Amino acid sequence: MRSRIGVYICSCGTNISENLDIDQLVRFSSGLENVAYVKTHALLCSEDGKSHISDDIIKEKPDRVVIVACTPKEHEKTFRNVLQKAGINPYLFQMVNVREQVAWVTADKQTATEKAKAYIRAAVRRVALHEPLEKREIDCNPDVLVIGAGPAGMEAALTLAKAGRKVFLVEKNSFIGGRVARYEEVFPKLECASCMLEPKMDEMLHHENIELLTNSEVREVLGFLGNFVARIQKKAGFVDREKCLGCGACYEQCPVTVRNEFDYNLSDRKAIYVPYTGALPNVPVIDTKNCLRFGDSGSSTYREAYELGLITLEEYEMFRNQDCSKCRDACSFDAINYEDTDEIVERNIGGIVVATGFDLFDPSVLSQFGYGSIPEVYTSLEFERILAQTGPTGGKLLMANQKEPRSVAIIHCVGSRDRNNKEYCSAVCCLYALKYAHMIEKHAPEVKVYDIYADWCVPGKDNQEFLDSVAGWKNLHFIHTKLPMNIAIQQADSTIALSCVDLAGKKQEFSADMVVLCPAMIPAKDASALSDILLISRGKDGFFTEGHTKLAPVSTNIEGIFIAGCAQGPKDIQSSVAQASAAAGQLLSLLVPGRKLELDVITAEIDEKACAECRICIGLCPYKAIVLDREKKVAVVNTVLCKGCGTCVAACPSGSAKSRHFTTQQIFAEIEEVLK
């Protein structure tokens, strides 16, 4: 049966008509088999253009349509909607991109016109083979999973919860607040970080719409926008959150002492512990790796404690083989439960916000900075803890020998803006380096500070004013050098000798008692694993990739999954919070209670008669949308999960997998016409 195809050619202003002979295309298209008519318009995507198509379809009554214009990525959906309103199935349509693929890349006008003819011929042949596809809808789940309970994650969770959405907030640590919980002050206003965070943390902990899952990690996510299923591993904490009052009696009695990773091993903690004073939730957890009661490390931990002089030989002999229960014995509220176990919980949600924060570049790989070999060389996060009142020195500026330094050197851009390491700028190092200078002045006005920088990056409200205010301090000495940072740092008796060449080419030599490095911010260490679980892509630097740098900065390649904060790239707290609000707003507009969600129409299907049960498609499907029907011994596509990527179709050795709207017949017909 012959088709009746209408062809519409757009001039796109002069973008197309300037480089293609439109009259030739009209004459050529009119002579193609099944083409009933050809119409032109100056701008088909305009309101006038869309009305023109719609009115013309009603008048001409084609059964298929070809539109010759720009990239389908920009306007395929626009024209499908026009066709649907005009009464034509939107999949009986093919779009030809003669703007980006022809007019803009082919210099000679006649050559470009011939190229466009081939594309139109291919589209006309292909659209004649199209089959109508029907849209399907399902119910939408308005609940949301937020991964990461730092400032961005908390902001997203609270915004969603206040709008009436149920939020499941997953945090891998036993506390919330993220990296900012480690800070004493934040730039540029030098507010108290804990004073800024605690009201928000308290509000979140007591919000009826937020379920907080600490010590938890997402292990699997299946589904799509509006209908995800997340499997979350809740690690045993061994302390009942409902019974515990946070009195601290349990960890006071614990005989094991280990280094505290919250303070970057600059302080000690017990095997049952809260990481810092004021941590929320104020519920201790048992570190099974070091607790005498769990695992094989008990005796070795005791041995280490004895060797460090933390316990006596008698205590070592007494405890090393004991079934220690000191924390439980000390608890007056029966909150310690040694029978607690890890568990997997499932949560059904409609959308996800990823706010997993950042880690720091390891400066020990750059030996010239002396990190790891010179005791008084610290990273910025370690220095944050030294300055914090809840940190290892109680907020006093002290070295490991408990003496106050006479001089401190702060070095910017360690490992960043460096082609051999991280090429990008971390955006916040200049500002927190200034904050350190301010805090050092506040702690010890006589301490001399050397600030070694390449140039200043202080965009944003109030930041230049902050730089100007700190720069006037008499004991602050700036040394302007060039990138990449090339500073020699060596231990010299009781001080640290530093040398570099400044921008004028003059060698600068000086000494400091303490050195603070500002390393590049890098993706959180679990970003790769989470990328595999969520199927969201990452950029060359490892941060999660946004949908569009400018127009979709919190979207990802997976609809319904959004990113916020440093999971997307280095940024300050205010930018992280702004992104979290944006991500929450996107989900609020998508996940409206009672609204139906449209499923993908272009999906794979498998011919049961031809399927050989080889299972290749099951292993390859990136959306986990194919399962084996063991009774029928055939692979089956879950069309709710399938995104129509075609991976299974390309891999199927028996040819039983087929993609709707991209059949082998349709694709071959298109290729044949292009190559004629």
Side-chain angles (χ1 to χ4, degrees):
M1 181 178 173
R2 285 178 60 84
S3 299
R4 179 176 169 78
I5 301 172
V7 178
Y8 296 88
I9 301 176
C10 179
S11 299
C12 192
T14 58
N15 278 305
I16 293 174
S17 59
E18 196 170 61
N19 296 307
L20 296 178
D21 187 331
I22 300 295
D23 291 338
Q24 270 198 56
L25 294 181
V26 171
R27 289 194 297 275
F28 172 80
S29 303
S30 300
L32 294 173
E33 185 180 3
N34 291 324
V35 172
Y37 64 89
V38 181
K39 302 287 178 71
T40 62
H41 193 276
L43 199 61
L44 283 173
C45 63
S46 66
E47 290 304 315
D48 180 65
K50 288 186 282 187
S51 297
H52 169 74
I53 298 172
S54 180
D55 294 344
D56 210 55
I57 286 173
I58 293 170
K59 176 184 168 188
E60 298 282 358
K61 299 187 181 343
D63 56 19
R64 280 146 219 280
V65 168
V66 169
I67 290 183
V68 183
C70 56
T71 170
K73 192 172 181 179
E74 195 165 334
H75 281 303
E76 187 175 58
K77 190 171 183 180
T78 303
F79 295 128
R80 276 186 176 154
N81 289 336
V82 172
L83 265 61
Q84 188 167 29
K85 288 178 183 174
I88 291 187
N89 186 288
Y91 294 91
L92 296 176
F93 152 70
Q94 183 69 6
M95 195 166 174
V96 184
N97 179 4
V98 295
R99 191 178 69 178
E100 286 84 351
Q101 292 185 348
V102 182
W104 285 359
V105 293
T106 309
D108 180 74
K109 189 169 185 176
Q110 188 54 43
T111 304
T113 302
E114 293 302 320
K115 190 175 173 183
K117 285 179 184 177
Y119 287 2
I120 294 171
R121 185 170 61 224
V124 167
R125 173 89 183 278
R126 189 191 203 282
V127 80
L129 300 171
H130 283 195
E131 296 173 357
L133 300 176
E134 297 302 325
K135 292 182 179 178
R136 297 171 299 147
E137 292 181 333
I138 59 168
D139 291 332
C140 163
N141 185 333
D143 299 341
V144 177
L145 172 71
V146 177
I147 307 173
M154 290 195 298
E155 179 67 21
L158 277 170
T159 303
L160 291 158
K162 287 175 182 175
R165 304 295 193 273
K166 180 71 179 177
V167 179
F168 305 102
L169 178 57
V170 174
E171 170 56 51
K172 66 182 177 184
N173 294 308
S174 62
F175 61 93
I176 59 176
R179 300 277 183 199
V180 181
R182 290 171 160 90
Y183 304 165
E184 179 68 14
E185 295 180 356
V186 293
F187 62 78
K189 298 291 186 183
L190 303 172
E191 298 167 84
C192 164
S194 59
C195 301
M196 178 186 74
L197 276 185
E198 281 175 8
K200 194 173 283 282
M201 292 197 288
D202 187 67
E203 184 182 4
M204 200 196 69
L205 287 171
H206 294 95
H207 203 293
E208 60 181 4
N209 284 341
I210 298 176
E211 179 184 348
L212 175 64
L213 301 165
T214 52
N215 280 322
S216 301
E217 294 185 63
V218 175
R219 294 302 184 199
E220 184 179 50
V221 171
L222 297 175
F224 53 92
L225 170 66
N227 276 278
F228 290 106
V229 178
R231 299 182 81 239
I232 302 159
Q233 182 183 28
K234 276 184 70 179
K235 294 176 183 170
F238 305 97
V239 180
D240 190 325
R241 190 169 159 179
E242 300 301 320
K243 294 180 180 178
C244 178
L245 299 182
C247 65
C250 54
Y251 47 82
E252 288 172 1
Q253 296 301 315
C254 178
V256 177
T257 301
V258 296
R259 305 305 286 174
N260 186 358
E261 55 281 286
F262 183 85
D263 283 338
Y264 303 100
N265 298 327
L266 298 173
S267 67
D268 294 334
R269 64 165 172 81
K270 298 293 186 175
I272 182 168
Y273 69 105
V274 291
Y276 68 101
T277 304
L280 292 175
N282 185 20
V283 178
V285 293
I286 292 179
D287 168 11
T288 55
K289 183 180 177 185
N290 291 296
C291 175
L292 299 175
R293 195 179 177 84
F294 297 94
D296 298 327
S297 60
S299 58
S300 62
T301 302
Y302 252 123
R303 163 66 67 180
E304 185 179 353
Y306 168 64
E307 290 174 351
L308 290 172
L310 299 174
I311 59 174
T312 65
L313 177 61
E314 290 73 21
E315 287 173 324
Y316 167 66
E317 294 295 341
M318 181 175 63
F319 289 121
R320 63 175 179 168
N321 293 318
Q322 279 194 0
D323 188 13
C324 180
S325 61
K326 282 183 172 291
C327 57
R328 186 175 63 188
D329 298 341
C331 180
S332 304
F333 306 99
D334 194 27
I336 309 294
N337 174 21
Y338 295 137
E339 307 305 317
D340 196 9
T341 57
D342 292 1
E343 61 176 321
I344 297 291
V345 297
E346 279 193 4
R347 294 292 181 268
N348 297 311
I349 65 263
I352 299 171
V353 177
V354 180
T356 46
F358 69 97
D359 276 312
L360 279 188
F361 172 80
D362 179 8
S364 67
V365 301
L366 303 174
S367 58
Q368 69 269 30
F369 292 109
Y371 182 74
S373 59
I374 300 176
E376 291 301 329
V377 177
Y378 299 95
T379 68
S380 52
L381 288 178
E382 290 168 347
F383 195 59
E384 291 278 3
R385 293 309 296 155
I386 289 174
L387 295 174
Q389 292 187 39
T390 59
T393 62
K396 296 177 181 175
L397 179 59
L398 297 176
M399 299 186 290
N401 61 9
Q402 298 303 304
K403 293 182 179 177
E404 195 172 82
R406 293 163 297 176
S407 55
V408 178
I410 303 170
I411 302 175
H412 299 218
C413 299
V414 174
S416 58
R417 306 175 70 195
D418 180 350
R419 288 183 179 177
N420 295 320
N421 293 288
K422 306 298 176 186
E423 292 189 72
Y424 53 85
C425 171
S426 291
V428 296
C429 310
C430 290
L431 287 159
Y432 73 63
L434 291 169
K435 179 187 77 171
Y436 292 161
H438 168 85
M439 294 180 75
I440 291 170
E441 183 194 24
K442 190 169 75 172
H443 281 276
E446 298 307 316
V447 173
K448 187 177 290 186
V449 176
Y450 299 96
D451 188 301
I452 303 101
Y453 71 104
D455 46 41
W456 290 108
C457 175
V458 291
K461 189 178 176 183
D462 300 324
N463 291 338
Q464 183 62 45
E465 183 181 350
F466 178 50
L467 167 60
D468 295 340
S469 68
V470 176
W473 179 38
K474 67 175 183 178
N475 278 341
L476 176 58
H477 304 276
F478 291 115
I479 298 175
H480 192 180
T481 185
K482 62 182 180 180
L483 291 170
M485 283 290 180
N486 188 13
I487 300 164
I489 301 176
Q490 292 182 321
Q491 185 73 56
D493 297 328
S494 59
T495 63
I496 301 169
L498 299 94
S499 66
C500 65
V501 177
D502 66 18
L503 209 58
K506 183 180 177 183
K507 188 171 184 179
Q508 298 281 347
E509 294 180 301
F510 51 98
S511 62
D513 291 332
M514 182 182 274
V515 174
V516 181
L517 306 178
C518 304
M521 294 168 74
I522 61 173
K525 64 182 179 183
D526 54 359
S528 176
L530 201 54
S531 171
D532 293 340
I533 291 170
L534 299 175
L535 305 176
I536 57 175
S537 58
R538 298 191 300 151
K540 65 176 183 177
D541 297 317
F543 294 101
F544 295 116
T545 306
E546 60 279 357
H548 187 283
T549 308
K550 295 178 177 61
L551 302 179
V554 297
S555 301
T556 67
N557 57 308
I558 300 296
E559 197 176 15
I561 301 181
F562 295 88
I563 49 178
C566 293
Q568 184 260 342
K571 58 180 62 65
D572 57 19
I573 298 169
Q574 51 266 50
S575 299
S576 297
V577 170
Q579 274 202 333
S581 297
Q586 292 274 358
L587 283 168
L588 288 174
S589 67
L590 288 170
L591 305 175
V592 178
R595 179 187 288 177
K596 298 284 186 180
L597 284 175
E598 190 177 296
L599 294 178
D600 277 320
V601 174
I602 302 170
T603 60
E605 57 185 354
I606 292 175
D607 182 351
E608 292 186 5
K609 294 178 181 175
C611 179
E613 199 194 346
C614 69
R615 310 186 191 190
I616 290 174
C617 56
I618 296 173
L620 290 176
C621 178
Y623 301 99
K624 301 173 186 173
I626 306 178
V627 296
L628 180 71
D629 184 328
R630 296 189 181 279
E631 189 174 329
K632 293 182 178 178
K633 297 183 177 179
V634 295
V636 178
V637 177
N638 182 339
T639 55
V640 173
L641 297 179
C642 180
K643 305 297 285 185
C645 68
T647 303
C648 58
V649 180
C652 179
S654 66
S656 57
K658 171 186 166 187
S659 179
R660 294 189 181 98
H661 203 64
F662 285 92
T663 65
T664 302
Q665 188 184 13
Q666 291 165 355
I667 293 170
F668 273 38
E670 190 174 12
I671 293 172
E672 284 172 3
E673 295 301 326
V674 169
L675 297 178
K676 268 185 180 176

